[in-house]
Amino acid sequence: MKKADEMIMSIPSDVACKLWGVDMGPTNVDIHTDDGRIFNVCLTYSKGNLFLFHGWSNVTQHLGLSE
């Protein structure tokens, strides 16, 4: 597992509800960046929260995101 995958990003349930109409969203999403790249990121649902997980590290590296 890459370090960025250890710092998974939570999607608040109210945001998931606005995006997908339910608290629990899809199992994966495509993230489009301004420079035209598309990243497929898996989502995981745990303890009432939805998280960006596998593939998120590719997004953070591409965008130069850090803690």
Side-chain angles (χ1 to χ4, degrees):
M1 180 181 335
K2 296 179 182 177
K3 178 135 179 86
D5 284 332
E6 296 172 9
M7 299 180 291
I8 56 179
M9 177 179 263
S10 173
I11 300 173
S13 59
D14 61 330
V15 173
C17 189
K18 287 178 185 176
L19 289 171
W20 299 294
V22 294
D23 288 342
M24 189 171 160
T27 58
N28 63 11
V29 293
D30 286 334
I31 296 178
H32 298 250
T33 61
D34 287 340
D35 63 358
R37 293 280 308 265
I38 300 172
F39 297 90
N40 186 267
V41 178
C42 294
L43 301 173
T44 187
Y45 190 78
S46 177
K47 299 179 182 178
N49 294 308
L50 189 61
F51 297 92
L52 296 170
F53 197 57
H54 293 292
W56 177 241
S57 62
N58 296 328
V59 177
T60 61
Q61 288 174 356
H62 178 73
L63 296 176
L65 303 176
S66 63
E67 289 183 57

